[in-house]
Amino acid sequence: MSRLPEEYQLPVDDVLNIFVNWLVVEWRPVFQAIRWPIAHVLDGVQESLLALPFWAMVLVFLLVGWWSAGIRVGLFSAFAFLAIAFMGVWDEAMTTLSILMTSLVFCVVVGIPIGILAGRSNVLWAVLRPVLDVMQTTPSFVYLVPVVMLFGIGTVPGVIATIIFSIPPIIRLTNLGMRQVPTETKEAGEAFGATEWQALAHIRFPLALPSIMAGLNQTLLMSMVMSVIISMIGAEGLGLIVLQGIGKLDVGLAGIGGIGIILLAITLDRITQGLGEHARYLHGESGTASFLKRIRMVILPDRTTINP
């Protein structure tokens, strides 16, 4: 007997189908409520980006790249957006950019608070860690199946799949950053009488910022990967151009979609890396002393009032 008899095999696929069908019927209002804010943010961002003339976007990214990572990144950002405009895929690139920005907003809003709580609680981290392991080892295509069943097809379900796929890095690295805050610095805050909120806002979070920015960078790159894959469920953007090119065996069409994605990915990666370097410079080891000064500025005025 080289194979397990069929009568002994578990009907896992039937169980999953029954479970998903139950979710679709019983939890439909919940999924519609989840979809609503994402759809509105996506529409707002997309309309804003498409309303701007291409030269204004080129100028914005020139200045943002220059400010965040230096003149070379600024010039490359301007070149990348000019190249996208001259290849005739500007609208698709702005749609992809709106998908990335919307995904990033929700990953930050949801992921950073979860990471902060996990960094403060070993119990929560013990529960969260296997969930994140499963999320990061699940093939990206697998996310599309439940998303289509629960949210339908189109760009908004694609953004939901992108958020689910790309949120683990920012949770992990926020948790890591919170746990790597030096004990001496935390004890100094407690010695000066910092409240829990003051310690979080003025000590733990600023010192964890370089790690959080690294998580933001990883989340952005994973969103970029997923923005191509979600074209399979009808999401618009550069990924759809690549998919259409593959379907028609049109190398040129797929090529300009791929080049646009590469230029967009490198630009956003360099800018977020530059922001991470800024955070390290401002809140690195050399900045620990300045944080103690800030603690005194926050705490001492109240004490001066009590004990003049």
Side-chain angles (χ1 to χ4, degrees):
M1 186 172 65
S2 60
R3 298 286 185 277
L4 187 69
E6 190 172 341
E7 56 268 26
Y8 292 111
Q9 295 177 7
L10 298 174
V12 178
D13 52 346
D14 293 335
V15 172
L16 288 174
N17 283 332
I18 293 170
F19 178 67
V20 172
N21 289 332
W22 174 78
L23 282 177
V24 171
V25 174
E26 301 294 335
W27 290 76
R28 183 175 178 78
V30 175
F31 297 120
Q32 292 300 318
I34 294 172
R35 182 188 173 117
W36 186 84
I38 295 172
H40 280 73
V41 172
L42 177 66
D43 289 343
V45 173
Q46 189 173 6
E47 288 174 5
S48 301
L49 292 178
L50 290 175
L52 288 172
F54 82 94
W55 57 265
M57 286 294 291
V58 171
L59 183 61
V60 166
F61 272 87
L62 169 65
L63 297 175
V64 170
W66 189 356
W67 173 76
S68 63
I71 185 61
R72 289 184 179 178
V73 173
L75 290 174
F76 177 81
S77 302
F79 164 77
F81 277 81
L82 278 174
I84 288 170
F86 279 104
M87 285 191 297
V89 291
W90 183 261
D91 288 351
E92 291 80 3
M94 292 303 103
T95 301
T96 297
L97 190 58
S98 63
I99 291 173
L100 295 176
M101 292 175 69
T102 305
S103 303
L104 209 58
V105 165
F106 283 92
C107 285
V108 167
V109 169
V110 176
I112 290 180
I114 293 176
I116 290 173
L117 292 174
R120 305 294 306 280
S121 169
N122 290 329
V123 175
L124 178 60
W125 179 237
V127 174
L128 204 57
R129 187 175 179 180
V131 176
L132 296 176
D133 289 342
V134 171
M135 289 176 71
Q136 288 191 288
T137 53
T138 301
S140 53
F141 288 99
V142 177
Y143 284 99
L144 301 182
V145 179
V147 167
V148 169
M149 292 291 292
L150 301 175
F151 298 98
I153 61 173
T155 305
V156 176
V159 173
I160 294 171
T162 304
I163 293 170
I164 297 170
F165 178 74
S166 57
I167 200 170
I170 199 164
I171 296 177
R172 280 187 186 279
L173 288 168
T174 301
N175 164 70
L176 181 65
M178 297 298 290
R179 291 175 183 272
Q180 286 183 335
V181 174
T183 307
E184 300 80 15
T185 309
K186 290 187 284 188
E187 289 176 349
E190 293 172 1
F192 279 103
T195 63
E196 194 67 25
W197 170 251
Q198 288 172 330
L200 174 64
H202 297 282
I203 301 173
R204 293 190 177 95
F205 188 81
L207 289 176
L209 200 55
S211 181
I212 294 172
M213 291 303 299
L216 189 71
N217 177 266
Q218 293 301 306
T219 293
L220 178 66
L221 294 180
M222 291 184 71
S223 298
M224 199 75 213
V225 172
M226 198 64 181
S227 70
V228 179
I229 295 171
I230 58 176
S231 63
M232 297 178 69
I233 61 172
E236 299 173 340
L238 292 171
L240 190 59
I241 292 183
V242 175
L243 189 66
Q244 290 172 344
I246 294 172
K248 297 176 182 175
L249 294 179
D250 187 338
V251 178
L253 185 63
I256 59 173
I259 292 171
I261 291 168
I262 292 169
L263 291 174
L264 210 54
I266 294 175
T267 300
L268 297 176
D269 176 55
R270 294 296 182 269
I271 288 175
T272 51
Q273 280 188 13
L275 293 175
E277 290 298 324
H278 276 294
R280 287 190 189 90
Y281 176 76
L282 291 174
H283 305 292
E285 292 181 1
S286 60
T288 304
S290 67
F291 278 105
L292 296 178
K293 292 179 181 176
R294 292 174 61 186
I295 292 167
R296 295 190 185 96
M297 291 174 65
V298 171
I299 305 302
L300 284 182
D302 295 334
R303 293 197 156 197
T304 306
T305 305
I306 295 170
N307 299 313

